[in-house]
Amino acid sequence: MRISAAGRRSMPLFVALGAALLGLVSMCPGRASAEDKPSDSSQPPLVVAADSPRAALVRYLELARAGQFAEAAKYLQVPASRQREATALAERLKVVLDRNIWFEMDRISPQSKGNLNDGLSPDAEDVASIAGPGGVVDPVRLVRIKANEGGHWVFSAATVERIDLWYSRLGDRWIRDHLPAALLRPGPRELLWWQWMALPALLALAWVLGKILGWITRRALDSVFKRTRTEWDDVLLQKMAGPLTLVWGLAAVFVLLPWLSLYEPAEMFIHRIMRAAFYLSFFWAMVRAVDVAAQFLATSSWGTTHQALGAFIPLGVRIVKVVVVAMAAIAILSELGYPVASLIAGLGIGGLALALAAQKTVENLFGSVSLGVDQPIRVGDFVKVEDFVGTVESIGLRSTRIRTLDRTVVSYPNGKLADMRLETFAPRERIRLTATVGVVYGTSEAQMRTIVTGFEGALKAHPKVWQDAIRVVFIGFGDSSLNIECLCWFETADFGEFCYLRQDVMLQLMKIVEDAGSSFAFPTRTLHLVNDSDPELPAPQV
């Protein structure tokens, strides 16, 4: 079978997950014994009597682990008619106990006479129970038998009689009946050797099944997504190849795991690891979805319209990924049983310290986000900021750079720039022309009417003048001229073109004044001199 690129990418993850699974299973707790729990120095050491129920159970389990079932059979009250089966009964009892019971030795009496407050006879002690069909619960009982040198505890005759029934209910009894005895021996952490050998094979089979089921799922969804008009769902489906393989692989492990017939704590431990791996696949899919969202956001109509925000998309992707990875780490560690409350508190304190230390940096960062969202200015705009006029060259994460008319570069922190009054000339679609024309005082009323009418006709006839707002009026008598105000807008956003259009209009206005027989006024002053010696003589004029 040919392995696709997605399969090759997910295979190392499955190998790593399998290695971690094997390692963690090897670290999981084995069968409890009297010596498993560390002693508390603050408490007096617990004395376990050699002829107590706990000592008998621990000794039986130790012998069974070592494969010494003939010796372990001495702890079974076997009827005389079945003495030849004593070794097999001891072995089967160990299998039944491994599959159904997790002993907590602290609850089993360490006293020679057992627990006298359990409601049973002084020579009987229930150490566990096994649930059967129909809700029937069978006790696993020890009884105290007499001997020449005292008494010791053994599994009761009633318990021994139920061993065959309990064994027949096991789902893996066929495997146990046909495998070599060496593979049925307990290995590390109480797992049988055949279980240790089957676990990697199960993981490999789960990966193959996960890849096949993931491929089938993608093909089924692909036929649905191709009917839609959008493309992001097709790309997202391709990106989900790895997470889908992992999810289906975990589902395969969940279905196949009962065939291993692990004892309860090991099986619960593997289920915990599987839940952590499921969280991993979920957050892995979220990271892939963030990549797809960023890709299509940058190429969407919104992204092309708000080009200034394009620089913030990679930053936003990194921030979201960091948040997702942090959530994944917390969820996985919590599922594996690690305390995460202190970790979260530490992250909160560290984040507060970082925010205080980088206050200005954070202020500029949010300022850049504000400039990107509101977009009062864009790259390439001709703007006026305070006393500077120039072209915006770049809007970074910390500052904005403006190229002035003197070809120098002025940098403004984004946090400060976001609070300033910004004037940009880029959005204007028309440029205003305001001119005050002064003609000489010798101009007659008829000439003034001719000039005003000519100015207005010249502006209306110009192809680049906005016709909805043209105003030419005689506004008053100046100190040395008769003033005419001309107001109009040119339909252009290019300041260079506006300069040439303004020149053309000014030349036409000059010609109209000349053709009307008038002229432009210039500032003049009349000085009257008075002759004080002969007031009857007229004063000379200058």
Side-chain angles (χ1 to χ4, degrees):
M1 182 178 62
R2 184 178 179 183
I3 300 178
S4 63
R8 290 193 297 270
R9 288 192 298 268
S10 60
M11 188 173 185
L13 179 61
F14 248 94
V15 173
L17 182 62
L21 184 61
L22 293 174
L24 290 172
V25 168
S26 66
M27 295 168 57
C28 72
R31 288 283 168 181
S33 65
E35 294 80 14
D36 282 345
K37 286 187 173 294
S39 60
D40 188 355
S41 59
S42 62
Q43 299 292 335
L46 179 66
V47 178
V48 179
D51 57 348
S52 65
R54 184 186 300 187
L57 180 59
V58 169
R59 182 58 180 163
Y60 164 78
L61 293 176
E62 290 176 349
L63 293 172
R65 288 172 186 164
Q68 302 177 14
F69 293 107
E71 293 294 325
K74 297 179 180 180
Y75 290 88
L76 274 65
Q77 193 177 32
V78 182
S81 60
R82 303 190 66 183
Q83 282 297 326
R84 293 183 179 180
E85 305 176 42
T87 301
L89 289 172
E91 183 176 359
R92 290 186 177 183
L93 177 61
K94 176 65 164 58
V95 174
V96 170
L97 295 179
D98 286 347
R99 193 68 184 93
N100 294 278
I101 300 172
W102 176 257
F103 287 109
E104 296 183 10
M105 293 300 177
D106 290 342
R107 298 186 178 182
I108 299 175
S109 175
Q111 305 297 326
S112 298
K113 295 182 179 181
N115 185 5
L116 301 179
N117 299 321
D118 56 2
L120 300 175
S121 63
D123 294 331
E125 182 88 8
D126 285 348
V127 294
S129 60
I130 297 177
V136 178
V137 178
D138 296 329
V140 178
R141 181 168 297 175
L142 298 179
V143 294
R144 191 167 183 265
I145 60 176
K146 306 295 182 181
N148 294 333
E149 299 179 357
H152 70 279
W153 294 81
V154 296
F155 289 96
S156 67
T159 299
V160 172
E161 288 296 326
R162 294 190 186 98
I163 291 177
D164 291 332
L165 176 62
W166 292 336
Y167 187 79
S168 65
R169 295 173 183 170
L170 297 178
D172 61 336
R173 67 181 184 278
W174 181 89
I175 298 176
R176 296 178 180 273
D177 291 340
H178 292 81
L179 284 179
L183 296 180
L184 297 175
R185 293 283 301 277
R189 316 311 297 178
E190 287 300 304
L191 294 183
L192 304 181
W193 283 112
W194 78 267
Q195 293 173 332
W196 278 111
M197 296 174 62
L199 191 57
L202 181 144
L203 292 173
L205 179 60
W207 177 80
V208 174
L209 292 176
K211 185 179 181 305
I212 295 174
L213 294 174
W215 179 81
I216 295 174
T217 303
R218 294 197 307 273
R219 289 296 300 269
L221 294 177
D222 185 59
S223 61
V224 177
F225 290 166
K226 283 184 176 179
R227 300 175 185 175
T228 62
R229 297 181 180 179
T230 57
E231 297 182 1
W232 64 266
D233 49 0
D234 301 321
V235 178
L236 181 62
L237 183 61
Q238 295 177 1
K239 294 284 188 180
M240 291 297 155
L244 280 175
T245 300
L246 181 56
V247 169
W248 279 116
L250 293 173
V253 171
F254 181 79
V255 174
L256 297 174
L257 189 62
W259 291 90
L260 291 182
S261 300
L262 301 175
Y263 60 87
E264 183 180 357
E267 187 171 353
M268 292 177 60
F269 193 77
I270 293 179
H271 283 166
R272 179 181 296 178
I273 297 175
M274 290 172 58
R275 288 194 295 269
F278 177 79
Y279 287 141
L280 176 64
S281 64
F282 174 74
F283 288 107
W284 184 13
M286 287 186 63
V287 170
R288 292 292 180 87
V290 170
D291 289 333
V292 174
Q295 176 184 347
F296 279 87
L297 184 63
T299 57
S300 64
S301 58
W302 182 89
T304 54
T305 304
H306 301 78
Q307 294 182 357
L309 290 178
F312 302 103
I313 293 179
L315 176 64
V317 169
R318 294 189 188 97
I319 294 175
V320 173
K321 283 185 176 180
V322 168
V323 173
V324 171
V325 171
M327 293 172 60
I330 292 174
I332 292 174
L333 291 176
S334 176
E335 186 59 42
L336 294 178
Y338 292 95
V340 296
S342 57
L343 176 61
I344 295 175
L347 290 176
I349 296 175
L352 179 60
L354 179 62
L356 293 175
Q359 183 177 1
K360 288 296 182 181
T361 302
V362 174
E363 177 185 355
N364 291 327
L365 177 61
F366 278 97
S368 62
V369 173
S370 176
L371 292 176
V373 173
D374 193 41
Q375 290 190 315
I377 57 175
R378 301 180 182 180
V379 175
D381 287 358
F382 189 75
V383 298
K384 180 180 180 182
V385 181
E386 292 183 337
D387 298 331
F388 293 95
V389 177
T391 304
V392 179
E393 283 198 344
S394 65
I395 303 176
L397 297 179
R398 179 193 172 276
S399 62
T400 297
R401 297 188 175 187
I402 300 176
R403 177 79 64 175
T404 67
L405 297 179
D406 295 330
R407 306 307 298 162
T408 60
V409 176
V410 179
S411 297
Y412 287 93
N414 289 332
K416 179 180 179 181
L417 194 63
D419 295 332
M420 296 175 61
R421 176 183 176 182
L422 306 178
E423 182 179 359
T424 175
F425 299 94
R428 64 180 181 181
E429 74 282 5
R430 294 182 291 270
I431 301 179
R432 184 181 66 174
L433 169 65
T434 301
T436 300
V437 180
V439 297
V440 297
Y441 263 97
T443 303
S444 64
E445 181 267 342
Q447 289 175 323
M448 180 62 73
R449 290 185 181 275
T450 301
I451 293 173
V452 171
T453 303
F455 282 4
E456 186 174 358
L459 294 178
K460 289 183 178 180
H462 199 286
K464 282 289 187 176
V465 173
W466 186 42
Q467 300 298 317
D468 292 346
I470 297 175
R471 187 173 68 189
V472 180
V473 292
F474 173 43
I475 60 173
F477 303 94
D479 292 339
S480 58
S481 64
L482 302 176
N483 296 328
I484 304 172
E485 182 183 62
C486 300
L487 178 64
C488 68
W489 280 263
F490 288 103
E491 293 182 325
T492 181
D494 186 358
F495 187 77
E497 182 183 8
F498 165 74
C499 293
Y500 288 104
L501 295 174
R502 180 177 58 184
Q503 171 184 283
D504 182 44
V505 169
M506 291 296 187
L507 293 175
Q508 291 186 41
L509 297 184
M510 288 180 64
K511 187 175 185 304
I512 292 172
V513 172
E514 293 173 358
D515 291 345
S518 182
S519 61
F520 293 97
F522 53 87
T524 60
R525 179 171 302 208
T526 302
L527 181 61
H528 295 270
L529 299 178
V530 179
N531 190 350
D532 295 335
S533 60
D534 189 358
E536 294 182 357
L537 294 177
Q541 296 183 0
V542 180

